[in-house]
């Protein structure tokens, strides 16, 4: 009934809407040591119980120069989870993933090598200028994510320490939340509000997302 939304909202309503097909974001802010992670653990208990896809990634200050570090970390854990399933299920995932990545599977396996254990070795992709390469990655990754955002298994991603997120990760998060075709996706983010200011890239990204929902 709520349709799609990219809201930054409180936990319970957001979870309800995600189960109904929405795409949303929850942000938890505070100083270091204030218990942000504990709050998020409470929020995610029903998700873990129902065995939906719940991924976690953490940005690190010393790895801010590595694009997508926490997001890759989260999806590597998902692939490892899929690899524990039986052969029949893995073949189903293989078919679903290959159907969306097409000839661009290498774009994903370059960052998540374990994925080759599901979809096999992928052909090299055409070399493109930097901007086009970035756009191709964003497009292919959005399609890849959509494989795991379904009514039967919504996708929840918890990203910690967003104040250290690189610009490419922030752009990808914005795209995932702003995509009009996105459904059954919840991104939970935690950040230290005493380490950001109005011109910080994270705050600017949050403001863009808020504007999109008005």
């Amino acid at each position: 009934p709520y349709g799609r939304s990219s809201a930054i909202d409180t936990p319970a309503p957001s979870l309800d809407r995600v189960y109904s097909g929405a795409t949303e974001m929850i942000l938890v802010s505070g100083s270091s040591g204030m218990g942000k992670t504990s709050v998020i653990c409470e929020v995610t208990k029903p998700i873990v119980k129902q065995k939906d896809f719940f991924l976690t990634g953490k940005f690190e200050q010393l790895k801010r120069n590595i694009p997508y570090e926490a997001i890759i970390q989260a999806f590597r854990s998902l692939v490892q989870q899929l690899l524990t399933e039986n052969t029949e299920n893995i073949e189903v995932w293989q078919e679903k993933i290959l159907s969306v990545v097409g000839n661009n599977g290498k774009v994903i396996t370059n960052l998540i090598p374990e994925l080759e254990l599901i979809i096999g070795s992928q052909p090299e992709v055409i070399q493109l200028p930097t901007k086009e390469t970035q756009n191709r990655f964003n497009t292919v990754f959005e399609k890849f994510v959509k494989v795991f955002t379904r009514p039967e298994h919504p996708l929840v991603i918890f990203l910690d320490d967003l104040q250290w997120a690189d610009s490419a990760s922030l752009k990808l998060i914005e795209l995932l939340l702003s995509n009009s075709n996105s459904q059954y996706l919840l991104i939970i983010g935690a950040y230290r509000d005493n380490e950001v200011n109005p011109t910080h890239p994270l705050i600017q990204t949050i403001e863009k997302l808020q504007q999109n929902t008005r």
Side-chain angles (χ1 to χ4, degrees):
Y2 293 99
R4 182 194 157 273
S5 173
S6 298
I8 297 169
D9 211 332
T10 52
S14 289
L15 281 169
D16 289 341
R17 289 193 292 270
V18 166
Y19 287 127
S20 297
T23 289
E24 302 213 359
M25 185 175 197
I26 297 170
L27 287 173
V28 181
S29 63
S31 301
S32 177
M34 288 190 68
K36 298 185 296 298
T37 302
S38 297
V39 170
I40 290 165
C41 285
E42 286 300 313
V43 171
T44 56
K45 274 182 182 177
I47 301 163
V48 175
K49 245 183 223 181
Q50 294 176 38
K51 297 185 179 178
D52 297 331
F53 288 127
F54 177 65
L55 317 182
T56 64
K58 183 179 176 70
F59 290 101
E60 296 182 32
Q61 190 171 17
L62 297 179
K63 294 184 178 180
R64 294 180 76 174
N65 61 328
I66 304 176
Y68 314 115
E69 173 67 13
I71 296 172
I72 292 168
Q73 185 185 123
F75 278 91
R76 289 184 76 174
S77 69
L78 173 58
V79 171
Q80 289 163 1
Q81 179 182 335
L82 298 181
L83 287 169
T84 66
E85 298 188 11
N86 60 44
T87 303
E88 185 179 344
N89 284 347
I90 290 175
E91 288 175 353
V92 171
W93 287 118
Q94 178 189 62
E95 184 179 345
K96 287 180 178 179
I97 295 168
L98 287 174
S99 70
V100 299
V101 300
N103 294 324
N104 291 311
K106 192 77 172 175
V107 170
I108 307 294
T109 60
N110 278 341
L111 297 177
I112 309 174
E114 297 91 337
L115 186 60
E116 285 195 349
L117 297 172
I118 295 176
I119 65 173
S121 180
Q122 297 298 295
E124 294 295 330
V125 293
I126 299 170
Q127 295 299 311
L128 297 172
T130 302
K131 186 174 181 181
E132 283 80 356
T133 297
Q134 176 92 47
N135 291 339
R136 177 174 61 189
F137 173 79
N138 288 340
T139 299
V140 176
F141 199 82
E142 279 188 273
K143 292 178 179 178
F144 174 66
V145 170
K146 197 165 175 57
V147 170
F148 307 102
T149 55
R150 303 287 180 181
E152 61 271 25
H153 49 71
L155 177 63
V156 180
I157 308 171
F158 168 44
L159 299 173
D160 201 2
D161 283 330
L162 276 171
Q163 75 277 357
W164 293 326
D166 59 282
S167 59
S169 292
L170 291 174
K171 182 62 178 175
L172 182 57
I173 291 167
E174 183 184 342
L175 288 172
L176 291 174
L177 291 168
S178 302
N179 187 333
S180 60
N181 295 317
S182 180
Q183 289 185 296
Y184 305 104
L185 172 64
L186 174 63
I187 297 178
I188 305 173
Y191 69 97
R192 301 178 185 179
D193 55 5
N194 61 318
E195 294 190 22
V196 298
N197 56 43
T199 61
H200 192 284
L202 171 62
I203 301 304
Q204 292 180 336
T205 299
I206 292 170
E207 288 176 351
K208 284 181 189 175
L209 290 169
Q210 289 174 325
Q211 289 168 3
N212 288 340
T213 63
R214 287 172 187 166

